[in-house]
Structures are given as C-alpha cells and as structure tokens.
Amino acid sequence: AYPGKVEGGLRVQKYSCHIMSRNVKAPNTQKRFTNIVVVKLQVGGKKFELAAYPGKVEDWRKKIETDLDSVLQTPHIYCNMDRGEIAKVSDLLNSFGHKDKTKILKKILEEGEVQVSGKERQQSLNGLFKDVATLIVEKCINSQTKQSLTIGQVETAMKECHVALDPNKSAKQQALKVIKILEDKSNLPIERAKMRLQLDLAPADAEEMEKKNGNSWDVESKSEIRPATDSQPGVTRLVVLIVPAFYRDLDLAMKAKGGKVEVLTHSVKPEANERF
C-alpha cells in the first residue's frame, strides 16, 4: 500500500521530491521591512515611495548625513511599498523628466512626506521631550537658590503643565516657549540664567551706559584697555552680567555707539562659570 521496500522488518519510505505536505507554505520571497520610515512623493499624478532608516531623513535634510546608503534601507523606488511594487522606469521618466535614479532618490528624500509608525513617532517625541528639557537645564537656574536645575525636575514640570511639543520643530525652536510656560504655570522656581558679556566702547559712552543700564546689568569688571591719544579716543572694557531678554536692546545700543559686544558665557551658573 505504501511505496518503498522492507529492510530488516522496517518499511523504508521513498517519496518523490515533488510531494509536499499541504500544511507547508512556500517561502515568501518578498522583502519585508521593519523599523522604517516611508518617504512619499507624488509627482505627475504618480506616487513614489522610499524605505528609510528612522531619524536618517532629518539628518539628510540637515546635511548631517550625505551617504544615501546610510539613509535608505534599499535603493529601490516603489510605487506601492506595501505590495513590494517597484516603480516603472517609464513612470519615473514621465514624472521627473529623466531616469537618473540618484537624482530622483535625492529629490524624494528632500521633498517627500515622511511617514513613521506610531511606535517610531512616540520614540521621536520622547527624544524631543528630553532634548527640550536638556536645553532648559542649560539655559535656566532655580530662581530661589540660584543653582542649576536637573533634567528630572524640568521634565516633571513640563508634564505637570501638559506641555505639547511640535514634532516638526527642533528642540532649540521650542525651548524658549516652554521656559515661558514653566515660568507662568509650573510650581518649579525657574528663571533664565544671566549672560556674561564683554563690552568695548569709548570711556564717555561707557559712563553713560553704566548710568542708563545700572538696573539691568551687574558690572563684574571695568578697565581701560586703550588710553586716549591725540589721534584716537580711548577704549573702556566692561564685563557685565545681563538677563538674556535685554541682550537685543543692548546690542543695538552698542552698535549705535560704535562699540563692540562679545558673548563670554551664554548661561552663567554658580558652579560652572567656564567660558565657551
């Protein structure tokens, strides 16, 4: 009843190589992408898609990453990535006016819409949240103790104030807005750390600026770096601490007087007064 022969009381089965169990599926050769972002661009009524690594598209657009192989998981240009359908050369030619694949890849990367999974989006927001908190720690101090804040303190205050960040804007673009929210709404005693500036200007102008801005800055030092002569006026150097909000007005006033402003320290902290 069964194919094969009896050897030593045991029946040895012999099957043809074409016999396959109904429960065994043929292998799927279509490439499945995981942990990706999809970049989509519609041109001339046709949709084109690329598979990129998470975070790499933004690096490409900021010129941080310039190697296409480090940005794209595959060099293929798809018309439907879900089904693994690669765009036809004729469609590329009709839509882009040429078939230079490298140029087309770059155009899609630079102009396409970036779509990420819910998991990737949440990871990106979590990273942005921490980056904003880190910047705030660098820029601010505790308004009561005048000491540095911790990232944990700032993150807790941000959550208590239900701070909503824009995923399309950088941490630097949003940090100052969040500082204002924390100053107005949180229980965290927070204020901007002062800036340390070096001002070089004529002695008479230095005297005038001191009288005018006495309540807006703290003078750390004052010195004559060039005495007056018959051919040129003297120069006085002031090193001052100011609230960052006052910087723009001071810079304009210094330019009007022909003075020079140099930022010595962006955020002066009691425990870290290094120049950078």
Side-chain angles (χ1 to χ4, degrees):
Y2 297 98
K5 61 180 180 179
V6 176
E7 295 180 358
L10 297 176
R11 186 176 298 277
V12 179
Q13 302 287 342
K14 291 186 178 180
Y15 294 98
S16 299
C17 63
H18 67 273
I19 298 176
M20 181 181 290
S21 168
R22 291 182 180 179
N23 294 325
V24 179
K25 295 182 180 181
N28 187 351
T29 57
Q30 178 178 324
K31 184 172 183 179
R32 298 291 181 181
F33 295 108
T34 58
N35 193 31
I36 68 167
V37 295
V38 180
V39 187
K40 297 184 178 182
L41 182 65
Q42 189 159 332
V43 183
K46 296 287 186 179
K47 180 179 66 176
F48 301 97
E49 301 177 342
L50 303 179
Y53 292 104
K56 287 296 185 178
V57 178
E58 184 177 356
D59 288 347
W60 173 269
R61 292 177 175 178
K62 292 179 178 178
K63 312 299 182 185
I64 298 173
E65 181 60 71
T66 58
D67 182 9
L68 281 174
D69 291 336
S70 298
V71 178
L72 300 175
Q73 293 205 17
T74 172
H76 293 315
I77 301 171
Y78 294 88
C79 58
N80 190 314
M81 189 178 300
D82 289 338
R83 293 200 294 263
E85 296 178 3
I86 296 175
K88 297 177 181 178
V89 175
S90 59
D91 288 340
L92 296 176
L93 183 59
N94 291 334
S95 298
F96 295 95
H98 60 83
K99 52 184 180 181
D100 187 320
K101 191 173 182 180
T102 300
K103 290 183 178 180
I104 294 173
L105 288 172
K106 290 180 178 180
K107 182 176 180 65
I108 297 173
L109 275 176
E110 290 165 2
E111 301 179 11
E113 176 188 358
V114 180
Q115 297 186 339
V116 298
S117 66
K119 180 181 178 181
E120 293 296 334
R121 185 178 296 107
Q122 188 58 50
Q123 288 178 343
S124 178
L125 281 174
N126 290 344
L128 180 63
F129 195 87
K130 184 169 288 293
D131 288 345
V132 170
T134 300
L135 282 175
I136 292 174
V137 167
E138 292 174 0
K139 294 177 178 294
C140 298
I141 58 174
N142 185 305
S143 59
Q144 296 175 353
T145 67
K146 307 303 179 183
Q147 299 298 310
S148 292
L149 300 166
T150 67
I151 293 178
Q153 288 174 324
V154 174
E155 286 183 328
T156 298
M158 289 170 65
K159 292 173 183 176
E160 289 175 349
C161 293
H162 305 288
V163 171
L165 300 177
D166 186 341
N168 297 315
K169 293 183 179 180
S170 69
K172 186 176 182 180
Q173 289 175 306
Q174 302 184 76
L176 294 181
K177 179 181 178 181
V178 175
I179 289 173
K180 180 63 177 174
I181 292 174
L182 299 185
E183 287 177 332
D184 293 342
K185 297 182 179 181
S186 79
N187 294 320
L188 181 67
I190 182 174
E191 68 180 13
R192 289 290 304 274
K194 292 183 177 181
M195 302 173 68
R196 177 178 286 113
L197 306 179
Q198 179 177 283
L199 314 179
D200 292 346
L201 66 171
D205 291 334
E207 293 291 339
E208 180 186 343
M209 294 282 282
E210 281 190 272
K211 292 178 181 179
K212 181 178 180 181
N213 301 306
N215 296 326
S216 303
W217 67 21
D218 298 318
V219 178
E220 287 193 322
S221 67
K222 179 179 180 181
S223 60
E224 183 181 53
I225 63 172
R226 190 180 72 200
T229 65
D230 294 337
S231 60
Q232 60 182 0
V235 175
T236 295
R237 172 167 292 173
L238 298 173
V239 176
V240 301
L241 298 178
I242 69 164
V243 176
F246 179 56
Y247 175 76
R248 187 182 298 273
D249 290 340
L250 177 60
D251 187 49
L252 291 174
M254 287 291 292
K255 288 179 179 177
K257 294 182 179 297
K260 178 184 176 183
V261 180
E262 181 181 351
V263 178
L264 300 181
T265 312
H266 287 85
S267 297
V268 177
K269 304 291 185 69
E271 64 274 39
N273 290 334
E274 306 96 278
R275 291 178 55 169
F276 66 92

